[in-house]
Amino acid sequence: MWVKKGRMASQKENHKTLEEWAGSKHLILTLVFTDIVGSTEIGNSLGDTNWIKDLFVHFKRARSLAASYNGYVVKVIGDEVMAAFRTSTDAVRFALAFATETGIDYVGIRVGIHSGEVQIRDNDIYGLNVNFAARVQAKLDSEGILLSNAVKEDYENASEWSADIIFSRVRKKLKSFRGTQLLWRAVTSASNNAAIAQRRKRKNVVVNYW
């Protein structure tokens, strides 16, 4: 769960604080949560020195890509990234681009995206919608991108969106939230091909270093 203290990487690379970027302490944002598939197995195979080195390449890719889509990497914890965007369109485009090119060829990611009202305190984001977004991401067992219905509707209502994206409807129960939630898997041919290649290369990494 994302209610943890401490950061694995500082925000010194950002020129603005989160509040300065957002422009308000209380607003609606689209949140993206990512984590690495099989990270513990990879870490055990590579050892701390090699694995942490690759992790920071992955984090650097996340920050650079988020900035290019007008987003902000709020924090990283372990192998997980939390980023915020002003629009669902930017968040979805970031997620697809990040899943397709994670910075390390054997690294695949699970991505959860949700939009809603949040509050910013001490350069962090709080609120039930933060927990909801984290729960969405946790429903993925392997590489993939899962959106809340709010994000999907916002994305499709945008003036410009890519017809290359295929949305698949799924219903999931999210821990601590009542009822069954309508969610959507999002995939492109590029992200699908990347996931296949990442899985193949990850198997080789584990075999070679185990």
Side-chain angles (χ1 to χ4, degrees), residues 1-3 29 31-33 82 111-118 125-139 146-151 170 172-184:
M1 188 173 174
W2 277 87
V3 184
L29 292 174
L31 305 177
V32 178
F33 286 80
M82 176 185 179
V111 185
I113 313 177
H114 175 58
S115 293
E117 191 174 278
V118 298
I125 299 179
Y126 298 89
L128 288 174
N129 285 306
V130 178
N131 293 335
F132 192 98
R135 301 299 193 201
V136 171
Q137 187 273 327
K139 285 298 174 180
L146 198 58
L147 322 176
S148 70
N149 194 55
V151 173
V170 296
K172 298 283 186 180
K173 288 185 177 180
L174 303 183
K175 184 179 179 182
S176 302
F177 289 90
R178 291 183 178 180
T180 302
Q181 306 295 329
L182 174 59
L183 306 175
W184 299 85

Side-chain angles (χ1 to χ4, degrees), residues 3-73:
V3 184
K4 297 181 180 179
K5 292 183 178 180
R7 293 181 174 85
M8 190 169 177
S10 75
Q11 291 296 328
K12 291 181 180 179
E13 296 172 24
N14 293 309
H15 297 295
K16 296 182 178 180
T17 66
L18 177 58
E19 187 178 338
E20 288 171 341
W21 169 83
S24 174
K25 287 186 176 181
H26 198 165
L27 71 167
I28 294 174
L29 292 174
T30 303
L31 305 177
V32 178
F33 286 80
T34 79
D35 79 336
I36 295 174
V37 177
S39 60
T40 300
E41 185 178 24
I42 296 168
N44 284 334
S45 300
L46 295 180
D48 279 348
T49 299
N50 291 323
W51 178 222
I52 292 172
K53 179 181 177 181
D54 283 356
L55 268 180
F56 275 81
V57 173
H58 176 68
F59 296 150
K60 182 177 180 180
R61 167 67 175 166
R63 290 192 174 92
S64 174
L65 197 57
S68 72
Y69 287 99
N70 305 307
Y72 191 103
V73 171

Side-chain angles (χ1 to χ4, degrees), residues 79-92:
D79 66 324
E80 301 177 323
V81 173
M82 176 185 179
F85 297 83
R86 295 186 180 87
T87 71
S88 293
T89 299
D90 284 338
V92 172

